[in-house]
Amino acid sequence: MNRNAKINGLLLLVVAALAVLPLALGLGDDEKEPFAGADAQAETAITEIDPGYEPWFSPLYEPPSGEIESALFALQAALGAGVLAYYFGLRRGRRQGELLATARLDAAGTGSGAGQSPARGA
């Protein structure tokens, strides 16, 4: 097992622990909504501090249910992951193409002599 595989395995184990430990330890059992989002927690904290607080603006679209809101959030995350994956794949493909082109030029004998042609024999 090489070093990268060990590091990847360790990172996967850490991510799994971060997902499972809060559930296994029962964190949030004393709350009405144990794993509410940060928006809901912020709204609760603001109304506790200032009960007369008026929001500056309202949302453009309010989903009819929490399930639809979660689905839209998951769709947004998937689209973002797709864009990032496309970008990194494109960069890797370009780098591999450049390496392949350089290797072909070196095999033809023109890669190391910048500006020299093989017909001159220089």
Side-chain angles (χ1 to χ4, degrees):
M1 186 179 240
N2 64 14
R3 185 171 185 242
N4 286 339
K6 289 179 184 177
I7 290 173
N8 288 342
L10 181 64
L11 288 173
L12 185 62
L13 185 66
V14 168
V15 168
L18 285 172
V20 172
L21 281 177
L23 298 172
L25 297 176
L27 299 177
D29 284 346
D30 56 336
E31 298 178 18
K32 187 169 80 172
E33 291 186 47
F35 299 106
D39 293 341
Q41 292 178 352
E43 184 179 342
T44 303
I46 289 170
T47 51
E48 286 177 1
I49 294 170
D50 183 12
Y53 174 76
E54 290 289 326
W56 293 355
F57 56 89
S58 62
L60 298 175
Y61 172 70
E62 188 73 33
S65 69
E67 291 83 10
I68 294 175
E69 185 176 356
S70 295
L72 290 174
F73 180 75
L75 178 65
Q76 178 184 358
L79 287 173
V83 168
L84 283 175
Y86 174 78
Y87 171 74
F88 286 120
L90 184 68
R91 280 190 51 189
R92 181 176 180 169
R94 284 183 179 171
R95 185 175 55 231
Q96 287 177 347
E98 288 173 0
L99 290 173
L100 183 61
T102 304
R104 285 183 180 166
L105 287 175
D106 286 342
T110 60
S112 60
Q116 299 176 355
S117 74
R120 286 190 173 170

